[in-house]
Amino acid sequence: MKSPLKFLILDDDDDSVFLNRHALEKAFPGCTVEDAKTCDAALGKISDQPFDALLADHHLQGTSGGECIARIRQMGLQLPILMVTGSMDPKIHAE
């Protein structure tokens, strides 16, 4: 039997974490959802344990979501990542 899916949410906004956690738990009953507010915290969690996917916000305090994803890829991890943002800045969409 396959173990439940495990997700990591990278977002420094508590309301967004709450909504995304609820959506993931509803879509994937029995899943585990953890969160990190900074890139460094997310990298620490990813290094310590496997996740099935990462949901990352682009706008974070300090390192942006895009920069954090680049750091994850430099680690050689093939973790599926979904980046979200409420920004309409075309530079962000080019990342």
Side-chain angles (χ1 to χ4, degrees):
M1 184 168 138
K2 185 173 176 3
S3 59
L5 293 172
K6 189 169 185 177
F7 298 100
L8 178 62
I9 299 171
L10 171 57
D11 200 321
D12 56 4
D13 180 78
D14 291 334
D15 291 334
S16 294
V17 170
F18 175 82
L19 292 172
N20 286 316
R21 177 185 303 275
H22 178 73
L24 288 168
E25 289 172 344
K26 186 170 181 168
F28 303 98
C31 72
T32 301
V33 181
E34 294 190 27
D35 64 270
K37 295 194 181 308
T38 67
C39 180
D40 288 338
L43 292 172
K45 288 185 179 221
I46 290 168
S47 296
D48 290 342
Q49 56 192 305
F51 287 90
D52 292 296
L54 170 69
L55 177 66
D57 183 22
H58 188 276
H59 289 284
L60 302 169
Q61 297 294 326
T63 305
S64 75
E67 292 168 328
C68 190
I69 290 169
R71 289 174 61 187
I72 290 168
R73 294 298 182 230
Q74 288 172 351
M75 294 168 64
L77 299 174
Q78 295 305 310
L79 177 68
I81 299 171
L82 175 64
M83 180 181 285
V84 295
T85 185
S87 173
M88 296 301 292
D89 184 346
K91 288 183 257 177
I92 292 171
H93 298 283
E95 288 183 12

